[in-house]
Amino acid sequence: LRSAASPGASTETSYLHEVCGRCSHWKAASRPSPAVLLESLRDVAKGHEQKRAKRSVFDKLGDKTEAFLTSNLLSGGFQLSFLGSDGRQASSAATPSTSAETAAAARRLPQASAGDGRRMVRLASGEWVRVDADLVESFPGDEEKWRTLMAFRARMPESG
């Protein structure tokens, strides 16, 4: 069984495609152990819950509801405190400490040569790993998917 998630699929769907592919591998040594699989599933579920907790009210309602509210209910000058002057949700600008942390992390990023097209992501453990070429090709620019799938692949036994 070899299936790949579409580039537009969610991170969780892409992860499940990866897990199914690894669990159904013909070579037993290439399959994840139940303990590794369970730990990885827990980490992805935890990350999903953290991502859901950070969503704003409009994110939870969806883009169409946001467009309806901003165009119909908020026209005529009525503004809620959490909306910007243009009726759109005010951006959550990074706090100085967050932007400082981001800049510090960028300085610690292992440098890959500019022309080689390689990408690096930082796992939750703090370890930097090189993103596999198939992920860069399948999910261009989607660092969240790269991070999730590389965290799973990093736990897999080396197949030689």
Side-chain angles (χ1 to χ4, degrees):
L1 175 67
R2 186 74 181 150
S3 66
S6 69
S10 70
T11 301
E12 292 79 15
T13 299
S14 301
Y15 168 77
L16 290 175
H17 275 269
E18 178 82 11
V19 168
C20 288
R22 295 293 181 136
C23 288
S24 62
H25 197 274
W26 66 274
K27 190 175 180 183
S30 296
R31 295 182 208 137
S33 70
V36 166
L37 184 59
L38 185 57
E39 181 183 353
S40 180
L41 287 168
R42 284 183 181 145
D43 287 348
V44 169
K46 182 177 154 186
H48 178 71
E49 288 303 317
Q50 288 174 344
K51 187 170 65 171
R52 286 186 65 207
K54 291 179 181 179
R55 294 187 313 172
S56 70
V57 172
F58 283 135
D59 289 337
K60 292 175 184 173
L61 293 175
D63 293 336
K64 291 182 181 179
T65 305
E66 178 183 0
F68 171 77
L69 289 174
T70 56
S71 66
N72 295 326
L73 298 179
L74 301 177
S75 60
F78 176 71
Q79 301 292 323
L80 297 175
S81 62
F82 56 87
L83 294 178
S85 60
D86 61 353
R88 304 250 334 139
Q89 183 177 0
S91 64
S92 56
T95 61
S97 63
T98 304
S99 58
E101 291 169 5
T102 304
R107 285 190 297 275
R108 291 190 307 266
L109 174 65
Q111 297 299 316
S113 48
D116 65 5
R118 296 181 192 163
R119 303 286 193 270
M120 303 284 289
V121 290
R122 185 175 184 189
L123 303 180
S125 64
E127 174 188 8
W128 286 97
V129 295
R130 188 170 312 281
V131 179
D132 293 342
D134 66 310
L135 297 180
V136 174
E137 183 179 320
S138 298
F139 310 108
D142 195 337
E143 291 187 25
E144 181 182 358
K145 286 181 188 170
W146 296 346
R147 186 173 295 108
T148 301
L149 295 173
M150 288 307 299
F152 176 67
R153 289 181 180 185
R155 289 185 171 124
M156 296 299 298
E158 292 295 324
S159 58

